[in-house]
Every structure is written in structure tokens, then in C-alpha cells.
Amino acid sequence: MALLTGKTIVVMGVANKRSIGWGVAASAAKQGANLVLTHRSERAGEQIRKLLAELPDVSASIVRCDVTDDASIEEAFAQIGEATGRIDGIVHSIAHANVEDLQGEFVGTSREGFLLAHNISAYSLVAVARAARPLMTSGGGIVTMSYLGGERAVENYNVMGVAKAALESAVRYLAKDLGKDNIRVNAISAGPIRTLAAKGVRGFNDVLHTMQEKAPLGRNVDAEEVGDVTAFFLSDLSRGITGEVIHVDGGYHIVG
Ligand code: N5H
């Protein structure tokens, strides 16, 4: 039997076919999950509709959710609850920072830019976990996406690195709280992947190149590989793991 048969998985943050969230949705669907995909922009909603149209056998619905707005989160999860009755997993694949805060010196980060990055990229996991908890009546898994820049000072990653450090810490505190409800909370630290978010950010191509050169596996990773590890975290195979950050980066973090 597939790993996620009979489970409802909510994937937040698919912008287009290159999104890590879409790699996750595809892996989860392959493992038999019933999907709910959330988006903020109309444009992302359209992209998701198009992508799902190519997978007619997959059971999926689309819900709008703006994670900067508590009322929107509440409404989205009320809608999901009505439609599905229960949630077994949440995948948080959402981050944002001002493009001017993703280059040059971190010391120049404005208060506003710092708060924006932390609001969307880290606090949103806490708000979503709280909203989803009452619907996760059989327990389940929450998975979020991080990057090595949350552990090390990586050129240009700047305010996002600080937000990812907060996100990874939030994973541990949420895991501590939600363990009593048999809800596990874990993160994946993914290698660089050419997504819409990565487009136009300074130095991205250099990072891809270095990764290929130095990673033990000698190549970059893709969204499907991240998706498969996410499916593992959402499945009962990982039932003994919570509060963990696992690297899906071809081993780069052990050498780079
Ligand atoms: C070391 C690097 C390269 C430099 C830093 C890149 C950081 C990227 C993450 C953030 C989330 C990108 C971002 O917010 C871009 C926005 O300012 C502009 N783009 C958008 O608004 C597009 C339209 C939407 C879809 O994107 C978002 N996020 O809203 C890190 C890279 C090697 C790895 C990487 C790219 C990591 C990561 O966190 O995504």
C-alpha cells in the first residue's frame, strides 16, 4: 500500500510547477494522499488549477490563504475542515523577503524588512500549526522548508538566514507542544533549487554551481527529491521522529 493512502495533506506555497511545494504535492499524490493546496495570489491559484488539470486522477482542492492575515488563516482552515473533516499533514513551503534585503550587507537590514521576512517565513508556521491542530484529530505531521543559510552566514541570504534560524527553532518548540497530540513537526533543509523565489536573487547560480562541485553526490537536488523525504515525514514510517531538521542537499552540508 502507498504511504499516504487515506490521508489528507495540505500543501501551502505552490506558486508554479517549479515550486518545492509542487514537488511535494506530486510525491504525496503518488503516495495516495488526498490534497488541499493553498495559495495567496490569484496567479498562483491559476497555476495550481492548471497543474492539477494535468493530474485528473488526483483528488485535490484549492483554498486561498494569506498567512499574513489571521482571519484568512482561520477562514481557510474552517473551509478545509468543512470539506475534509480531518487533516493528517501540513506542508509549509512559504517564505518571503524584500529583494533588497537579499544582497549586500546584512547589517543594513531595515526593521520593516526584518519583520516582513520573519512574519511570512517563520511566524506563519506557528499560526498555521495553531489553526490546523484542532483538525489533526488522529495526529499527523507538519513539515516546513529551510536552507543551510539558517545555520551558517551564507553570502546574500542575509535576513532569510535569520528567519530560517527562527523557523528551525519554531519547529522544535512546536514539536514539544504538539507531541502530546501525536502531531510531529519537522523541517527539511533543501539544497538550492531553481524556483520562482530563487529567480533574480543575487548569487543563486554560483550556489548551484558550488553545490555540484562540492556535494558528495556531485549534483544538485530537485523538488521531487525534497517531496519524497516530505512524504516520509508525513507517513507513519517516520512515526518516531519529531523536532528534526534533515538535509536534502546531496550531502553538501557535511563538506561545504
Ligand atoms: C544564498 C542564496 C541566494 C540568495 C538568497 C535568496 C533567498 C531567497 C528566498 C526568498 C524567499 C526569496 C524572495 O522572497 C524573493 C522576493 O523578494 C521576490 N520574488 C517574489 O516575490 C516571487 C514572485 C514569489 C513567488 O516569491 C516569494 N518568495 O514570494 C539562497 C539560495 C541558494 C537558495 C534559496 C533560493 C533558498 C530559499 O530560501 O528559497
Side-chain angles (χ1 to χ4, degrees):
M1 195 166 81
L3 289 179
L4 302 176
T5 302
K7 293 192 195 288
T8 296
I9 306 295
V10 180
V11 182
M12 312 183 74
V14 177
N16 67 18
K17 68 171 195 277
R18 290 176 182 274
S19 296
I20 292 179
W22 183 246
V24 171
S27 293
K30 213 189 292 171
Q31 295 299 334
N34 170 38
L35 297 177
V36 178
L37 303 180
T38 77
H39 65 94
R40 173 159 78 164
S41 70
E42 273 315 308
R43 201 183 151 76
E46 272 166 44
Q47 291 285 322
I48 294 171
R49 264 186 287 283
K50 258 198 245 165
L51 288 167
L52 287 176
E54 290 166 23
L55 302 177
D57 297 338
V58 172
S59 146
S61 52
I62 305 172
V63 172
R64 187 170 179 279
C65 183
D66 176 351
V67 295
T68 63
D69 176 357
D70 288 329
S72 173
I73 295 176
E74 219 169 279
E75 202 180 306
F77 280 88
Q79 219 177 313
I80 295 169
E82 262 168 46
T84 68
R86 191 188 77 210
I87 295 174
D88 303 290
I90 305 278
V91 180
H92 173 276
S93 186
I94 294 174
H96 187 83
N98 287 329
V99 73
E100 64 266 25
D101 291 331
L102 301 170
Q103 52 189 291
E105 288 191 331
F106 167 69
V107 72
T109 308
S110 66
R111 188 182 302 273
E112 191 196 6
F114 187 95
L115 293 176
L116 174 80
H118 283 69
N119 185 18
I120 301 185
S121 315
Y123 181 72
S124 60
L125 181 71
V126 184
V128 163
R130 188 167 58 244
R133 185 187 198 177
L135 294 172
M136 298 182 75
T137 48
S138 303
I142 298 177
V143 183
T144 187
M145 300 301 156
S146 194
Y147 175 63
L148 190 61
E151 302 167 61
R152 298 187 194 165
V154 172
E155 194 78 25
N156 297 321
Y157 202 59
N158 296 0
V159 74
M160 272 309 302
V162 182
K164 290 301 192 191
L167 180 73
E168 292 185 14
S169 183
V171 162
R172 292 184 281 273
Y173 280 94
L174 290 171
K176 180 174 177 293
D177 285 347
L178 303 184
K180 52 175 111 42
D181 297 336
N182 199 30
I183 299 171
R184 300 179 292 104
V185 189
N186 293 292
I188 292 178
S189 184
I193 296 174
R194 201 182 289 284
T195 60
L196 186 59
K199 213 171 166 174
V201 297
R202 195 159 284 201
F204 178 74
N205 285 337
D206 297 340
V207 181
L208 271 184
H209 194 250
T210 309
M211 161 97 178
Q212 203 171 341
E213 220 168 49
K214 293 199 178 161
L217 294 183
R219 62 172 177 81
N220 282 288
V221 296
D222 62 29
E224 285 68 34
E225 290 174 305
V226 174
D228 284 352
V229 178
T230 306
F232 161 75
F233 269 148
L234 295 170
S235 81
D236 296 341
L237 287 183
S238 62
R239 62 195 174 279
I241 307 178
T242 194
E244 186 66 279
V245 181
I246 199 166
H247 295 82
V248 180
D249 67 347
Y252 178 76
H253 71 286
I254 67 166
V255 297

